[in-house]
Amino acid sequence: MIFYAIRGATTVEENTPQQILTRTTTLLETIIERNCIDYKDIVSIIFTGTKDLDAQYPAVAARQMGMVDIPLFCCQEMYVKGSLERCIRVLMHIQVSEPKDVKHVYLEKAKVLRPDLADEILTIAIDGPAGAGKSTIAKAISKTLNILYLDTGAMYRAVAYKMLKSNIDLNDHQKVVNVLNKTDLQVRYDHGKQKIIMDGKDVTSLIRTTEVSQAASKVATIPEIRLKLVDIQRNIASKNSLVMDGRDIGTYVLPNASFKFYLTASLDERAKRRWLEMKANGVEQNIESIRQSIHERDINDQNRSFAPLKQAEDAIVIDSTDKSIEQVTNEILGHIRGSLRKG
Ligand code: DC
């Protein structure tokens, strides 16, 4: 026999016996349906309720469904300040003879507990200029929410890298497009980490030079290049909950993203961050030349005619100049969690 534990959670709007019973019934029915469980497979079920629920034991719902012989146990969920209110959690143990893929179930406002398991795809767009901290913040958010992180800048960098390696004149747009059309560019995930594979070679670590940064900003002005990369980006977003960062995510790639943020910081601060980052990687560069290079990229990115860098009208703007990584991450998570709870 093989044992599995299945998690689930739901919420109620009111602390009434009727709501607790109906929402718990729906939760149990959904777990049973999605996991093709027979009552005889269920070993036991533990229920918890948050401290604001005392109108009924959720286990009563299971008894009313006919689970008369199954050991059930109700207890109070540990209270953590700021945690989800009026929430019922379930831990169901089953034993079966064949291995199966277990599906955990999060309903109502409890979806916020595990956005990675929610039925709807969660898309978080983070746009902003170079050095604003997008990738650091996006990585932290993807880790906390257990969803993918797609760094779209890495895709433009990979194209630029290919053009530099092939000695293509970046001003010859047709040539750049022709070369890209013959290039196999893939985004893959290895243990949750994004990898850029070009013509079968992993170029992820080769695209972080200043030369590639400048060239990426140039190739990113070519509409045909953007269309091709946007197609790959949308395709990944159609199948996965993710955080995507770039310049045009909220305005063009994912206009219907679940959440949009525009992250910015002063030019001096962004130059300082890049300088510190390079120094930490053993690369000494004059801060003024970094500042100049970021400024040039800002101008390129903001003034191209097709999908330029700009703040989406419905994006939440965060200026990270005087904020730590942790502060910005918590601010963004606060917006996401607050809104999912209300939804
Ligand atoms: O975020 P980054 O520095 O890795 O991006 C490299 C360049 O790619 C940047 O100058 C602009 C361009 N880019 C873009 O035009 N659109 C995106 N969605 C991402 C990056």
Side-chain angles (χ1 to χ4, degrees):
M1 279 301 203
I2 308 163
F3 287 83
Y4 290 102
I6 306 174
R7 270 301 318 272
T10 189
T11 53
V12 291
E13 270 81 58
E14 290 158 15
N15 174 27
T16 60
Q18 205 216 346
Q19 275 235 331
I20 291 175
L21 292 178
T22 49
R23 291 281 163 92
T24 308
T25 304
T26 305
L27 177 62
L28 292 171
E29 282 173 353
T30 315
I31 292 176
I32 286 167
E33 249 171 58
R34 290 201 191 158
N35 291 283
C36 304
I37 296 169
D38 216 88
Y39 280 10
K40 68 173 174 32
D41 302 335
I42 304 175
V43 177
S44 65
I45 310 175
I46 298 171
F47 298 87
T48 75
T50 39
K51 68 173 182 152
D52 43 17
L53 298 181
D54 60 6
Q56 180 56 286
Y57 292 108
V60 171
R63 293 279 181 248
Q64 288 179 354
M65 288 168 70
M67 300 184 194
V68 281
D69 296 326
I70 300 167
L72 308 173
F73 186 72
C74 295
C75 48
Q76 193 176 91
E77 181 73 23
M78 177 183 156
Y79 174 66
V80 176
K81 222 168 130 198
S83 58
L84 185 63
E85 292 170 352
R86 294 184 294 282
C87 182
I88 298 160
R89 291 169 168 87
V90 159
L91 179 63
M92 182 186 286
H93 301 103
I94 59 166
Q95 63 173 0
V96 286
S97 50
E98 299 291 327
K100 61 158 80 197
D101 268 343
V102 157
K103 293 186 183 72
H104 307 286
V105 176
Y106 289 78
L107 303 176
E108 306 293 341
K109 290 175 185 163
K111 284 176 188 166
V112 72
L113 299 171
R114 292 295 303 268
D116 53 322
L117 300 178
D119 292 336
E120 309 102 76
I121 285 176
L122 174 75
T123 47
I124 303 167
I126 305 184
D127 289 302
K134 299 184 301 293
S135 66
T136 311
I137 304 293
K139 269 184 213 152
I141 288 167
S142 82
K143 201 167 166 206
T144 307
L145 298 179
N146 194 25
I147 58 180
L148 286 187
Y149 163 48
L150 179 61
D151 168 5
T152 61
M155 300 169 71
Y156 291 93
R157 284 171 180 272
V159 174
Y161 174 79
K162 166 94 187 197
M163 301 307 150
L164 291 175
K165 277 264 147 196
S166 318
N167 282 320
I168 304 295
D169 175 3
L170 300 178
N171 296 314
D172 186 345
H173 289 185
Q174 196 48 54
K175 194 85 192 271
V176 174
V177 174
N178 290 345
V179 172
L180 184 63
N181 283 342
K182 289 190 207 116
T183 305
D184 177 34
L185 181 73
Q186 292 186 20
V187 178
R188 287 201 204 137
Y189 285 90
D190 181 11
H191 294 91
K193 271 209 171 138
Q194 176 180 320
K195 299 235 171 289
I196 304 278
I197 312 292
M198 212 163 52
D199 296 327
K201 186 179 168 203
D202 183 352
V203 296
T204 317
S205 60
L206 305 172
I207 56 176
R208 297 285 152 199
T209 63
T210 313
E211 197 193 7
V212 172
S213 303
Q214 291 302 116
S217 189
K218 284 192 186 150
V219 298
T221 61
I222 309 174
E224 291 89 336
I225 302 286
R226 301 200 70 83
L227 288 172
K228 190 158 176 163
L229 300 191
V230 167
D231 205 39
I232 303 174
Q233 294 156 13
R234 286 187 180 148
N235 187 33
I236 297 173
S238 70
K239 298 185 195 124
N240 303 279
S241 284
L242 49 64
V243 188
M244 197 187 281
D245 79 354
R247 304 296 189 284
D248 57 342
I249 312 305
T251 50
Y252 184 73
V253 183
L254 304 175
N256 297 318
S258 326
F259 295 93
K260 295 182 188 176
F261 297 94
Y262 189 84
L263 192 58
T264 184
S266 70
L267 179 58
D268 284 345
E269 176 64 21
R270 291 187 284 130
K272 191 177 104 196
R273 288 180 191 166
R274 270 289 141 89
W275 178 75
L276 285 171
E277 191 183 315
M278 293 174 97
K279 204 168 165 207
N281 291 330
V283 184
E284 284 289 346
Q285 204 175 344
N286 176 294
I287 193 160
E288 191 41 46
S289 74
I290 298 177
R291 191 179 183 282
Q292 188 53 34
S293 147
I294 291 183
H295 182 57
E296 276 168 26
R297 281 215 280 153
D298 284 355
I299 291 176
N300 266 345
D301 296 344
Q302 285 162 355
N303 294 304
R304 63 173 175 244
S305 51
F306 189 74
L309 163 67
K310 70 168 190 247
Q311 179 201 321
E313 273 174 20
D314 48 352
I316 296 168
V317 182
I318 299 178
D319 186 334
S320 71
T321 308
D322 298 313
K323 290 180 182 162
S324 68
I325 293 168
E326 204 187 357
Q327 276 173 321
V328 178
T329 307
N330 287 339
E331 196 173 327
I332 291 184
L333 285 171
H335 280 294
I336 296 170
R337 289 188 167 134
S339 163
L340 286 176
R341 265 174 214 167
K342 272 187 231 136

